[in-house]
Amino acid sequence: MPAELIIGGISLVALSSVFEQALRAYDFFVVASRTASDDFHMVATKILIERHRFELYGQYMNLSRNGQDVPIQSQSIRDQDFISNIVQEIGSSLANSEALFEKYGISVRPGSDDIEMNRSQSERNRQTSAPLTLVEAQHTDLRASQRWRWSWTDNAKAEKLQRHLHELNNQLWSLLSPQNTAMLTRSMPSFLLPGLNDQVTLQDIGEQASQHQIHRLLQDCADLRRSVIKPDALVGKSDEWQHLVLPKESIRLTKSYTAGGTQLSVGTFTRMQESEPVLIEYKAVHPGLEPKDRALVKSRLHQLAFVLSKERSSDICLFQCAGFCEVSSHPLRYGLVYKFPSIGGSQLLDIVTLESLLADKYSYHRYMLGDRFGLAIALANALLQTHASGWYHKRIHPENIVFQKTENGQPKLSSPRLIGFGSARPSDVNEKSLGSEQSTDNIDYFCHPDYQTPSRRFEKRFDYFSLGVLLACIGPWDSLQGLVKKFHEKHPSDTKNAFAWASFLQDRVNSYLGSSCGRIYRDVVLRCLRGEDAHPLMGEVGHAQQWSEADSQRWFLFRIVHQLQRCIV
């Protein structure tokens, strides 16, 4: 940034420095607050939320080294002065809290986030994404440590600070248009949740999102992540957990669909003499799996049923799940049972997959380019929230994107539902990967070539690749078969080479997609196909394995989701 550029009476470089210092002061407060009592935990969670609201806004306005989108220079002089004053006020408010902590012997230094002090077990289990180490000085008088805790809890100084920071953030966000406010609000889970593995904090975040109407989406994602982190805790809720195991006799099928490798049925589910319409997605268990791996498949389906059992924000693009059942034992096959949402006061038991829409040559004229951009945005955002919640999907494919038909018999393209979770797994590195379920005889055109090699664990960027192939079809509104035919014609000797296919597709997108869908859309598709092409912090070519979960989420947020939202007709 040029040093001579003046924003609100100070250079942009100086303002960026104030922003970074304010973020560090936020981190200082959040880490230092971990020494307080359990009663203080909710206040610290509220301030953690404000910290990420502030960071998200600063990155959007290009105030930070991670800045990706709209530079502050594009704002009016009056708004620049306003933003500068608010950022400096936030920095000053947090600097005062840091001075108070230092007064009572609490200091923070760069390093790991381990805390070396005498704490309760519940405090020891808490984690923060801040790369800081809290050090409590040895006091000759222990009352000094007690005194600062009393000062921040009983006198409600922390609550006062949080309310002040909340109001300052609201003033910053008030400068955004309603569209940009909604866009950044949908981005909050990607900033707040990665790296959080503490049940108490996630529960507090969900409650705060609900009480202050930050966004239903944040509450839902926190709830999803919480259920991923400690699924064993769910088993203890025996009634709620066992309620999801459905007898197959309670389901009556009326219609079946086959889309590629996905088998679906619609029908009715009866419980307590009350019936409701449902969609059943089948999951066949590979007969070659060991018994312990078969048990793992069942356990994950049970966990998925629980994760999907609550009604979710429409931004996640998921059906609500009623439970799962064992459809057959020889061969072993399960079914995830989804509830049909009502449309216009009625429940229409008919669906259509994206695969069938793309194969319909007449549908090209039915869905304009703006409609296709809307679908691309919805699917990218759904994948963003799925990853923020702690899951890999593993089967992003047109056959796993369904639309419920409306009263006029046509699907609403902006309201897709993502299914195909039979292969999904939690993204934690300690979770066992069962490997690819695809045939080795033929390549899977939606699957990253690296994952089609033997014994390869699934990675987040493989979901990105699948989305890229999908977007390459959605933009020009063409089925995959046309691209595959051109691939076979150009590379007749490499028809079973997944790497040759990936290279061909990138060249094809780079050469032709820009003319039909625009440069921004083309570049987004290429980023998905190539993976994370530049480190969001250093601006250098990098690899996904070197990134933190938060880095990867923010790259996808700014370089994929936000860029798609810039596509206009």
Side-chain angles (χ1 to χ4, degrees), residues 63-83:
L63 292 177
S64 75
R65 57 181 179 172
N66 296 5
Q68 299 282 351
D69 222 331
V70 178
I72 191 174
Q73 299 98 294
S74 65
Q75 308 299 306
S76 68
I77 297 298
R78 180 181 177 182
D79 286 350
Q80 288 181 21
D81 291 344
F82 181 80
I83 292 170

Side-chain angles (χ1 to χ4, degrees), residues 1-264:
M1 298 178 186
E4 65 273 10
L5 186 60
I6 303 301
I7 302 292
I10 66 174
S11 71
L12 184 53
V13 170
L15 184 60
S16 297
S17 178
V18 171
F19 175 80
E20 296 289 351
Q21 289 172 10
L23 284 180
R24 175 172 173 77
Y26 259 120
D27 290 338
F28 186 108
F29 182 91
V30 171
V31 177
S33 67
R34 291 161 62 187
T35 67
S37 64
D38 289 342
D39 295 336
F40 189 70
H41 196 269
M42 178 64 80
V43 181
T45 299
K46 292 178 182 179
I47 292 180
L48 180 65
I49 291 174
E50 297 306 326
R51 180 243 190 264
H52 287 288
R53 288 183 70 204
F54 180 63
E55 182 186 20
L56 178 57
Y57 182 87
Q59 290 197 13
Y60 181 72
M61 284 296 178
N62 210 10
L63 292 177
S64 75
R65 57 181 179 172
N66 296 5
Q68 299 282 351
D69 222 331
V70 178
I72 191 174
Q73 299 98 294
S74 65
Q75 308 299 306
S76 68
I77 297 298
R78 180 181 177 182
D79 286 350
Q80 288 181 21
D81 291 344
F82 181 80
I83 292 170
S84 175
N85 291 334
I86 294 296
V87 170
Q88 292 180 72
E89 173 65 17
I90 290 175
S92 175
S93 299
L94 289 163
N96 292 336
S97 69
E98 184 170 346
L100 181 63
F101 281 126
E102 293 284 0
K103 178 180 178 180
Y104 291 109
I106 306 298
S107 61
V108 177
R109 54 180 166 76
S112 68
D113 64 354
D114 294 330
I115 298 178
E116 299 301 331
M117 60 184 306
N118 186 14
R119 312 173 274 154
S120 68
Q121 183 62 43
S122 62
E123 290 169 330
R124 193 175 297 115
N125 288 336
R126 292 181 191 145
Q127 297 184 16
T128 178
S129 59
L132 301 170
T133 297
L134 178 65
V135 179
E136 184 172 16
Q138 296 294 324
H139 295 290
T140 56
D141 184 358
L142 292 178
R143 288 177 297 179
S145 178
Q146 296 170 352
R147 194 159 56 244
W148 82 261
R149 296 180 184 182
W150 174 87
S151 174
W152 281 88
T153 54
D154 291 356
N155 279 355
K157 290 186 177 181
E159 286 91 339
K160 183 178 180 180
L161 173 65
Q162 183 273 328
R163 288 193 296 269
H164 183 54
L165 294 171
H166 179 73
E167 179 56 33
L168 291 174
N169 270 332
N170 286 346
Q171 292 182 46
L172 286 176
W173 283 55
S174 68
L175 299 179
L176 300 171
S177 67
Q179 179 182 3
N180 287 337
T181 298
M183 178 181 71
L184 291 189
T185 302
R186 285 194 293 269
S187 306
M188 274 295 289
S190 295
F191 268 64
L192 187 55
L193 299 184
L196 275 181
N197 298 308
D198 171 31
Q199 291 275 344
V200 177
T201 301
L202 288 168
Q203 185 172 0
D204 288 347
I205 286 172
E207 292 176 5
Q208 289 305 305
S210 175
Q211 292 173 11
H212 294 280
Q213 296 182 338
I214 295 173
H215 202 279
R216 166 110 184 248
L217 177 64
L218 178 56
Q219 180 185 12
D220 289 343
C221 289
D223 187 30
L224 288 173
R225 190 172 185 88
R226 190 162 56 92
S227 62
V228 170
I229 291 170
K230 200 173 181 182
D232 292 342
L234 307 178
V235 181
K237 303 177 181 179
S238 57
D239 293 341
E240 189 176 8
W241 184 258
Q242 294 301 326
H243 200 60
L244 297 169
V245 182
L246 309 178
K248 64 180 180 180
E249 295 80 12
S250 63
I251 300 171
R252 181 180 180 182
L253 305 181
T254 58
K255 190 175 182 180
S256 296
Y257 304 81
T258 300
T262 300
Q263 292 185 321
L264 306 170

Side-chain angles (χ1 to χ4, degrees), residues 337-389:
V337 182
Y338 302 111
K339 298 180 180 180
F340 258 114
S342 61
I343 295 181
S346 62
Q347 288 167 310
L348 303 174
L349 304 185
D350 204 0
I351 61 168
V352 60
T353 66
L354 178 59
E355 186 172 59
S356 62
L357 289 179
L358 291 173
D360 181 2
K361 61 181 180 180
Y362 299 106
S363 67
Y364 174 83
H365 302 286
R366 191 181 306 141
Y367 302 114
M368 299 296 100
L369 186 58
D371 298 323
R372 296 175 231 156
F373 285 162
L375 174 59
I377 292 168
L379 294 175
N381 192 58
L383 182 59
L384 177 78
Q385 311 309 341
T386 300
H387 285 170
S389 302

